[in-house]
Amino acid sequence: MELESKILSQLIQETLYDSGKTLGTAESCTGGRVAEAIISVPGASLYFKGGVVSYTNEVKENLLGVSREVLEEQTAVCGEVARQMVVGACHALKCDYAISVTGVAGPTGGTPAIPVGTIWIGYGSVDDVRTFQISQDHGRDRNLAFATNKSLQLLLDYLREQRASAEV
């Protein structure tokens, strides 16, 4: 695991550890890398509920409740699927926050409309889901590492924002 993922996971732990809030993941192209980074920090069991690796549309639909219509009309690589994966993970895992990742890591699988390197990240809570798109191809391994680190950074920023607004 990359050092950056470990540091981000430690910072997430510092934010969630005593909060009573919980976290889950729903991953497609990253195949569990985000969950692996989170649990690399001792004590993660106090706030990390688990993760779903939803590599197929069938699992996205049946386990996470992603709309079949959205999957058929927009494909699995879109912001709306990333959003629905967050909501689905929060419900399925009964957690407060979730991270989702869906995309085309490569080296194949891209199309002119959705080229290799297109990855959508979702993060937040059932009532406040945000999405972020990555659209650069640096090769499969680097695409996956970047998506993992970026998803952790986005969640950390989100959690810090939530904490700051709660303190006001």
Side-chain angles (χ1 to χ4, degrees), residues 10-163:
Q10 289 170 338
L11 294 171
I12 288 169
Q13 181 195 49
E14 290 171 12
T15 306
L16 286 176
Y17 194 78
D18 292 324
S19 71
K21 300 289 186 181
T22 56
L23 173 63
T25 60
E27 300 178 68
S28 185
C29 65
T30 48
R33 289 179 184 217
V34 176
E36 179 186 19
I38 292 166
I39 63 134
S40 71
V41 179
S45 61
L46 291 176
Y47 55 88
F48 184 67
K49 290 275 199 105
V52 174
V53 176
S54 55
Y55 212 64
T56 65
N57 286 353
E58 177 185 9
V59 175
K60 288 176 184 71
E61 184 182 343
N62 294 335
L63 200 57
L64 297 174
V66 174
S67 162
R68 177 181 298 201
E69 291 76 26
V70 172
L71 289 166
E72 289 174 354
E73 293 170 13
Q74 299 181 41
T75 79
V77 185
C78 69
E80 181 57 23
V81 168
R83 188 193 72 72
Q84 289 184 23
M85 287 172 68
V86 167
V87 173
C90 287
H91 288 304
L93 301 169
K94 298 183 180 2
C95 57
D96 299 296
Y97 305 111
I99 298 171
S100 71
V101 186
T102 184
V104 184
T108 62
T111 66
I114 304 172
V116 170
T118 304
I119 298 173
W120 280 92
I121 298 168
Y123 58 100
S125 65
V126 170
D127 298 322
D128 183 16
V129 180
R130 300 176 189 182
T131 60
F132 182 87
Q133 182 184 21
I134 298 169
S135 57
Q136 296 177 332
D137 180 20
H138 300 288
R140 183 176 184 82
D141 290 340
R142 290 183 69 197
N143 290 346
L144 294 173
F146 184 75
T148 299
N149 289 336
K150 188 65 176 179
S151 67
L152 294 168
Q153 183 65 61
L154 289 165
L155 179 72
L156 178 61
D157 293 345
Y158 175 87
L159 294 173
R160 286 176 169 169
E161 177 186 313
Q162 297 301 303
R163 186 171 62 184

